[in-house]
């Protein structure tokens, strides 16, 4: 009896000496509910930084599962190229100290990317949600992908002695090296590669996906918005950055100069010619995933500010499945469009 009382006393002491977050270690990406954050920094200072390697220190405040808040120091710097040229809000790379994120939801994610809206316009947050949907669709159709989580940010833009508040949607995206580590692979560092050197099945899935979302702003050969991972003696392409796609249909989006379409909502297939059996396999995979893809879209409807934006996105996706369901359209718009 005395032994039981002693054990009970030890358990009570243990539970009273640790925090909620230490008891329940929640992985950042395992929970897909929207994560509330608070950030404050000078967008202008970050955007105009001359050296990409300089991180500006600030505080990130995040909401815990018990609805309390916690804070961490984080370093932020600008990233990207086209978004920096075209956007008001700079896309962000985040860097934490390993000891600071221990026993927090950010543990094992020392580096993260933060996708923010581009412009200060009415549908800026809906554009982010639509890009998030693209990432979620990619998770369904490919075993190799970046983990992502949607966040709701109370952002204070520092302007000298004044601050300007914004409520922004954002996407936290897994770091490249963490993706490679997750699959026991390595980043394949090249300036260019033959498309036929890539894993053929993953490459075709990648091309079908980009056709689904109406994306021409990528290149598997020249590693534009595509990361290559060397896994099990195969080179696997993983795509990212979908704000120029027809699925998002942002006001600033433009089609690649190498294609003969006028609008991002006009799809064109950009994959290379492959064995007919591969096309049929991937076609059937997408059709088999249709209900799961539509469910992932429906699950995000609550995050849209405009029901019209949600409705147009869903219609755009359904038009892709109309092509897959029609043999003549499938041959004309995908197989016959494949590049030699």
């Amino acid at each position: 009896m005395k032994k039981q009382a002693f054990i009970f006393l030890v358990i009570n002491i243990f539970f009273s000496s640790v925090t909620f977050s230490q008891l329940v270690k929640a992985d950042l990406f395992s929970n897909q509910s929207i994560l509330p954050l608070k950030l404050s920094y000078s967008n202008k200072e970050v955007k105009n930084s001359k050296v990409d390697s300089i991180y500006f220190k600030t505080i990130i405040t995040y909401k815990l599962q018990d609805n309390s808040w916690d804070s961490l120091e984080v370093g932020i710097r600008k990233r990207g190229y086209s978004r920096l040229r075209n956007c008001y809000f700079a896309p962000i790379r985040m860097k934490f100290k390993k000891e600071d994120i221990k026993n927090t939801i950010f543990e094992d994610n020392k580096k993260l990317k933060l996708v923010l809206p581009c412009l200060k316009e009415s549908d800026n947050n809906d554009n982010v949600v639509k890009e998030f949907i693209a990432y979620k669709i990619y998770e369904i159709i490919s075993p190799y992908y970046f983990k992502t989580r949607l966040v709701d940010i109370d952002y204070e833009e520092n302007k000298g002695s004044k601050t300007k508040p914004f409520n922004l949607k954002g996407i936290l995206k897994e770091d490249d090296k963490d993706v490679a580590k997750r699959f026991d692979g390595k980043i394949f560092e090249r300036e260019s590669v033959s498309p036929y050197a890539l894993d053929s099945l993953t490459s075709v899935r990648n091309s079908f996906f980009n056709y689904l979302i109406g994306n021409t702003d990528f290149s598997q050969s020249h590693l534009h918005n595509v990361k290559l991972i060397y896994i099990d003696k195969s080179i696997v392409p993983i795509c990212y950055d979908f704000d120029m796609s027809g699925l998002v249909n942002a006001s600033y989006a433009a089609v690649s100069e190498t294609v003969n379409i006028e609008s991002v909502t006009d799809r064109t297939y950009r994959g290379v010619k492959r064995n007919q059996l591969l096309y049929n396999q991937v076609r059937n995979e997408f059709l088999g995933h249709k209900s799961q893809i539509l469910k992932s879209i429906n699950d995000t409807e609550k995050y849209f500010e405009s029901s019209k934006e949600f409705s147009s996105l869903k219609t755009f996706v359904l038009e892709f499945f109309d092509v897959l369901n029609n043999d003549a359209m499938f041959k004309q718009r995908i197989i016959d469009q494949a590049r030699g």
Side-chain angles (χ1 to χ4, degrees):
M1 194 72 180
K2 289 182 179 179
K3 184 177 180 181
Q4 290 177 334
F6 175 76
I7 293 173
F8 182 75
L9 176 62
V10 171
I11 292 173
N12 274 339
I13 293 172
F14 171 76
F15 273 80
S16 62
S17 64
V18 296
T19 65
F20 178 83
S21 60
Q22 289 173 318
L23 289 173
V24 185
K25 180 180 175 277
D27 179 77
L28 176 63
F29 298 110
S30 63
N31 185 342
Q32 282 294 296
S33 62
I34 193 167
L35 177 64
L37 301 177
K38 296 178 183 178
L39 279 169
S40 178
Y41 60 88
S42 168
N43 179 59
K44 182 178 180 181
E45 186 177 19
V46 171
K47 194 173 182 179
N48 292 340
S49 173
K50 301 297 183 184
V51 183
D52 287 348
S53 59
I54 293 179
Y55 283 85
F56 297 88
K57 290 183 179 180
T58 187
I59 300 296
I60 183 171
T61 304
Y62 59 98
K63 201 170 190 178
L64 301 173
Q65 290 183 349
D66 64 353
N67 290 324
S68 63
W69 292 82
D70 204 352
S71 298
L72 289 169
E73 183 178 87
V74 62
I76 60 172
R77 70 169 177 85
K78 67 181 181 180
R79 64 177 184 84
Y81 298 99
S82 62
R83 294 202 201 202
L84 279 175
R85 291 195 305 269
N86 300 320
C87 297
Y88 179 82
F89 297 105
I92 296 296
R93 185 183 295 274
M94 309 173 77
K95 184 178 180 180
F96 298 95
K97 292 181 179 178
K98 186 176 180 180
E99 60 270 22
D100 289 347
I101 57 176
K102 188 177 181 180
N103 295 320
T104 77
I105 61 171
F106 295 100
E107 186 167 358
D108 300 325
N109 290 282
K110 187 178 176 181
K111 293 182 179 180
L112 290 166
K113 292 178 181 178
L114 176 61
V115 179
L116 293 172
C118 179
L119 303 173
K120 297 186 294 182
E121 56 186 11
S122 58
D123 60 353
N124 62 352
N125 284 329
D126 283 349
N127 287 342
V128 172
V129 178
K130 287 188 281 187
E131 186 170 3
F132 176 72
I133 288 172
Y135 280 104
K136 295 297 114 177
I137 293 174
Y138 197 64
E139 281 189 32
I140 294 170
I141 59 92
S142 175
Y144 309 108
Y145 56 83
F146 286 97
K147 290 182 178 180
T148 54
R149 186 169 180 182
L150 193 65
V151 293
D152 189 14
I153 310 167
D154 284 331
Y155 168 55
E156 284 192 350
E157 182 182 11
N158 297 333
K159 290 188 169 185
S161 59
K162 298 180 180 179
T163 60
K164 186 174 182 178
F166 292 93
N167 179 252
L168 304 176
K169 291 289 190 297
I171 304 170
L172 287 177
K173 183 162 75 74
E174 186 179 24
D175 184 66
D176 304 352
K177 291 183 179 179
D178 289 338
V179 178
K181 182 179 178 182
R182 182 155 51 91
F183 296 109
D184 294 322
K186 296 181 180 180
I187 302 292
F188 193 78
E189 301 286 0
R190 294 287 190 279
E191 290 186 3
S192 63
V193 63
S194 166
Y196 293 104
L198 307 179
D199 178 75
S200 56
L201 179 57
T202 309
S203 179
V204 174
R205 286 173 178 155
N206 186 295
S207 298
F208 269 58
F209 165 78
N210 280 289
Y211 181 78
L212 185 163
I213 67 171
N215 186 34
T216 61
D217 188 34
F218 79 102
S219 172
Q220 295 183 27
S221 300
H222 299 287
L223 280 63
H224 177 57
N225 289 336
V226 173
K227 185 64 63 175
L228 300 184
I229 311 291
Y230 189 70
I231 306 170
D232 295 331
K233 298 181 180 179
S234 295
I235 305 171
V236 174
I238 307 178
C239 54
Y240 59 93
D241 277 5
F242 311 122
D243 63 316
M244 290 289 190
S245 68
L247 185 85
V248 176
N249 197 20
S251 63
Y252 58 89
V255 298
S256 168
E257 296 177 354
T258 62
V259 298
N260 295 318
I261 56 175
E262 295 182 357
S263 169
V264 292
T265 55
D266 298 328
R267 288 184 172 95
T268 185
Y269 186 73
R270 301 199 67 213
V272 296
K273 292 185 183 297
R274 298 281 188 177
N275 187 293
Q276 180 70 46
L277 293 176
L278 270 178
Y279 290 124
N280 292 337
Q281 177 181 341
V282 175
R283 177 190 187 184
N284 289 330
E285 286 179 356
F286 273 81
L287 288 172
H289 288 311
K290 179 180 177 180
S291 60
Q292 191 178 358
I293 289 171
L294 294 179
K295 182 182 182 302
S296 72
I297 293 171
N298 289 333
D299 287 346
T300 62
E301 182 177 6
K302 58 193 172 188
Y303 301 129
F304 278 81
E305 296 173 3
S306 167
S307 58
K308 183 179 178 182
E309 292 292 328
F310 173 79
S311 178
S312 63
L313 175 142
K314 196 168 181 180
T315 299
F316 189 74
V317 171
L318 288 172
E319 289 170 352
F320 164 78
F321 286 103
D322 289 340
V323 173
L324 294 195
N325 278 310
N326 185 297
D327 289 341
M329 291 172 65
F330 179 70
K331 181 179 184 302
Q332 179 187 27
R333 300 188 184 184
I334 291 183
I335 296 177
D336 291 348
Q337 293 298 316
R339 297 177 295 162

